[in-house]
Amino acid sequence: MSTDVSGMIECRPGARLWGPDDEDSVWEVAIDLCLLNRGNAYDGLACLFGIRNSYGFRPLAEDRGFPDDASDELRAEFAGYGGPDDVHGTTWLTWAELDAADWQEANASGTRTRASAAGTDTDWGRVWSVMRLLSEIHGAENVRLVVWFY
């Protein structure tokens, strides 16, 4: 099974203006993950999403599925990969969850920390920077990363 990752960062600008339950508080695509992340380092995928987790990490967001309230653009991108029939490991996580994560938590053997696998000094650092900036504008619960593997 392949472990190439695809996905997008979404934000919900209307939630800041009208509240998260307002009909105009919809998710919008902010940026494609491929523009920010250069690789598929298995330790990062393991600690974040539980993919190829021979490292023994406790994943932050494993197999949550595709969000019901995803933007139309994200739905189209996901469908372009074949949707749930052709991808695996589909999941998402918010900036609030990432910001609250224990980045010093180690894997089962105690040899790798979450920070060393997917922290700000890895290829994921650019993704976290964009999410952090968007959260300063829209709120931490209104910024999320949605990913799938093909």
Side-chain angles (χ1 to χ4, degrees):
M1 191 175 288
S2 178
T3 55
D4 290 329
V5 63
S6 188
M8 295 183 160
I9 296 172
E10 289 188 305
C11 61
R12 193 166 46 167
R16 173 179 50 88
L17 302 171
W18 306 294
D21 297 326
D22 188 273
E23 65 184 20
D24 292 323
S25 294
V26 297
W27 290 94
E28 298 179 21
V29 166
I31 191 167
D32 194 307
L33 181 62
C34 75
L35 298 173
L36 300 170
N37 191 344
R38 294 182 296 199
N40 290 332
Y42 293 146
D43 56 349
L45 299 179
C47 86
L48 295 169
F49 312 117
I51 298 297
R52 289 205 175 183
N53 196 4
S54 61
Y55 298 88
F57 280 105
R58 184 180 58 84
L60 291 180
E62 184 175 18
D63 285 326
R64 291 180 172 176
F66 193 80
D68 292 336
D69 56 357
S71 65
D72 291 341
E73 189 176 349
L74 181 65
R75 287 180 188 285
E77 183 75 9
F78 185 67
Y81 282 85
D85 293 335
D86 293 328
V87 302
H88 62 96
T90 304
T91 195
W92 55 271
L93 71 164
T94 66
W95 176 251
E97 292 171 299
L98 284 162
D99 195 36
D102 178 359
W103 289 94
Q104 296 312 308
E105 180 180 338
N107 63 354
S109 68
T111 58
R112 298 292 312 266
T113 64
R114 192 176 302 287
S116 69
T120 57
D121 293 333
T122 70
D123 271 348
W124 289 99
R126 288 179 297 282
V127 177
W128 308 154
S129 292
V130 169
M131 291 181 74
R132 182 178 49 257
L133 288 171
L134 288 169
S135 77
E136 290 173 9
I137 301 165
H138 305 294
E141 291 291 338
N142 298 312
V143 176
R144 69 182 173 197
L145 173 64
V146 181
V147 298
W148 56 88
F149 301 87
Y150 59 98

